Amino acid sequence: MTDPWNAAWEEANASVPPDVLLYLTLELQHPEFVDDEDAPLAIRCVTDVYDDVDLTIEDGAVMNGGETVTFRAIPFSADMPEVAEKRVPECAITVDNVARELIPHLEAAVEAQADLICIYREYRSDDVSEPCFGPVQFVMRNVEVTGTRVRGMAGIDDLSNSKFPRRVYAVDAFAALQP
């Protein structure tokens, strides 16, 4: 398998105009993440900023699709996924300073047998109406909490059983398919 983190990727990532910010976001979802009224809740983080940022979630998202939501200024980092034959790529994700936002929810999540879903998106400050990259969904496993830091291994849930191609070609969306 070829390495996707090549010079072309680096050039495209570096070609954002200097007056445009790139917002890197992470959304964490779990069935036990609920608000005070037991409604589903997503923990949304944006890194490398000082203030919270309002961004629009893409249409069709499981939570808040098409809505503008607030991403909290919570630093996170991720290692580049390892690219190797016969292995599903995984990377370590670290979320810092989450004592107030995430720790209470993680304590409840430990009791439930469900996956912690991570959704990565990138936005440009000149157009926050939809992500410019993503959403890319991962499942986080082996989660460790130390102080105010959460670290886990993120990978694609079940790549071998994923539907390919993902797009469904139906007559209502592609009229030329009709005989």
Side-chain angles (χ1 to χ4, degrees), residues 2-11 13 79-83 89-91 120 122 133 136 138:
T2 60
D3 186 2
W5 316 116
N6 55 27
W9 178 83
E10 290 174 0
E11 179 183 347
N13 206 28
D79 300 337
M80 288 292 188
E82 180 182 317
V83 179
E90 282 190 328
C91 67
Y120 177 78
E122 292 181 8
F133 176 78
V136 179
F138 301 95

Side-chain angles (χ1 to χ4, degrees), residues 5 9 13 22-28 45 47 58 71 76 78 93 117-123 131 133-138:
W5 316 116
W9 178 83
N13 206 28
L22 193 59
Y23 297 126
L24 310 177
T25 68
L26 187 66
E27 178 176 331
L28 303 174
C45 314
T47 193
E58 70 280 352
F71 283 78
F76 68 88
I93 295 179
I117 304 297
C118 301
I119 302 173
Y120 177 78
R121 299 176 182 91
E122 292 181 8
Y123 292 84
F133 176 78
V136 179
Q137 182 171 310
F138 301 95

Side-chain angles (χ1 to χ4, degrees), residues 170-179:
V171 175
D172 57 338
F174 300 93
L177 292 175
Q178 204 164 20

Side-chain angles (χ1 to χ4, degrees), residues 1 20 23 44 81 127 132 143 147 163:
M1 176 180 256
V20 174
Y23 297 126
R44 296 186 173 103
D127 181 12
C132 65
V143 177
K163 182 172 74 171

